[in-house]
Amino acid sequence: MAKYDFKGVIAPLVSTFTADDEFDPILYRKQVQTILKAGVHGLSPSGSTGEGAMVEDDELVMMIKIIKEESKGKVPCVAGVIRPSTRFATRTALAAKAAGADALMVTPTFYNPLVPDFKGNYAFYKTLSDEVGLPIIIYNVVVQNVISTEDYAKISEIENVIGIKQSNGGIWGFYDQKLSNGDKGLVYSAQDEFLYSTFALGADGAICAIISAFPEESVAMWDLTLAGKFEEAKKIQDKIWPVWKAVAGPQFPRRLKTALKLLGKDYGYSRSPLVPPSEDEIAKMKVVIDAYLATR
């Protein structure tokens, strides 16, 4: 029997970089400890929230080891793999497995001139399954390489593919994927602004940035929805909506780190070429976050 069912609120972690682009393991451990206290059902390093395309394999290994040490096996570690080729993705995935990852969250390849067709995408996930042997969640986020509902129906037949994190297409895309393929694997929400709404529509869980900023609230929305307390869950979604509106936008990891700092959680810098938000961006975020904090 599998140790984990991989359902529920899986928090994607930000990557704690210093001002000179180095990984800060002490700050990362502090983040893991804080989010675990919120009662999340899993942790995911090196996804989009964690600037995963810029995280090196040895850094991912350190992240996974910290997660495993702090979680003590109580929740799974779902390692993000964002790489431009099958060879690179397999190498990263094997390093993640050796470090103790329980599952992988893998984006399709993303560099425009090298985006494959369905056969290429199928071969990509088939190779990862065969060579790594860990449960795989497809991270359907690449706008130039969308995994359609029809494609996922076929890719889901690959051994070890257990689900899909549906980022493309907004809440419409999530619902379409859930209705089309909900019987073929787990369908995760990645709709930060509609977390409760997607829970009510049948999401098997969520892996999205807003969980990192509001882990307690995200778990509460999940629990309340399962308990049929929809109005209470919606009130939480309504409350954090203005904050997400201020965070969403280009280069959102750097914006999220700013929001976290304003919420009293300083997890460092983003890695170059991302730069800190402008003073105007910070000021706008501070207004909505101060309003949110005043209601706590």
Side-chain angles (χ1 to χ4, degrees), residues 195-217:
L195 209 52
Y196 151 70
S197 300
T198 50
F199 291 165
L201 290 172
D204 295 297
I207 312 172
C208 52
I210 202 164
I211 301 168
S212 299
F214 299 104
E216 294 91 351
E217 291 86 346

Side-chain angles (χ1 to χ4, degrees), residues 30-43:
K30 178 182 176 183
Q31 175 190 199
V32 170
Q33 292 169 342
T34 298
I35 292 182
L36 281 172
K37 288 176 183 176
V40 297
H41 307 110
L43 296 172

Side-chain angles (χ1 to χ4, degrees), residues 161-193:
V161 172
I162 64 167
I164 187 165
K165 172 184 170 181
Q166 184 63 33
S167 293
N168 279 312
I171 196 168
W172 188 96
F174 163 79
Y175 196 43
D176 187 35
Q177 193 70 259
K178 180 64 182 177
L179 288 180
S180 300
N181 294 308
D183 61 339
K184 296 180 177 66
L186 304 172
V187 180
Y188 293 90
S189 169
Q191 308 309 312
D192 300 85
E193 67 275 44

